[in-house]
Amino acid sequence: MRKINEKIEGSKSGGVFPDGKTFQAIYEEYLDSDLPSAPESLQNAWRKMREAFDDYLAAYGEYDFRQAYLYGYKAGFEAATQKASTVA
């Protein structure tokens, strides 16, 4: 990583930018510029990826809930069983 930073900011080996301030100025100009939209194929791929991730999060949430519910059910059942065996 250090070698990359040296090349960006300029070093003894000669970098792309003379210093960090120059890099920051060019980067800010880039962010402020009107960039063309990504191609439709890229937008569709991103949308599919986002939907797949949302599906994953929903499935994991359901799995997590099931595990917690089953753990609580088991703990409650064991507590009720112990109480019933001490009463009888």
Side-chain angles (χ1 to χ4, degrees):
M1 187 68 157
R2 182 177 174 187
K3 289 182 180 182
I4 292 172
N5 288 338
E6 286 176 359
K7 286 182 180 180
I8 289 174
E9 294 179 5
S11 66
K12 295 175 187 173
S13 62
V16 178
F17 303 108
D19 56 42
K21 286 183 180 181
T22 304
F23 171 79
Q24 197 61 39
I26 292 171
Y27 182 63
E28 287 175 13
E29 182 181 333
Y30 165 78
L31 292 177
D32 291 339
S33 66
D34 290 328
L35 300 174
S37 295
E40 189 174 337
S41 60
L42 182 61
Q43 292 178 28
N44 289 337
W46 182 84
R47 191 174 299 110
K48 288 177 184 177
M49 183 180 67
R50 188 191 74 224
E51 289 170 358
F53 188 65
D54 288 345
D55 290 346
Y56 163 78
L57 289 177
Y60 183 80
E62 183 178 335
Y63 167 80
D64 197 36
F65 174 79
R66 285 179 183 269
Q67 295 305 309
Y69 184 86
L70 290 172
Y71 178 80
Y73 182 82
K74 182 180 175 185
F77 182 78
E78 288 174 358
T81 304
Q82 283 181 343
K83 186 176 182 180
S85 67
T86 58
V87 172

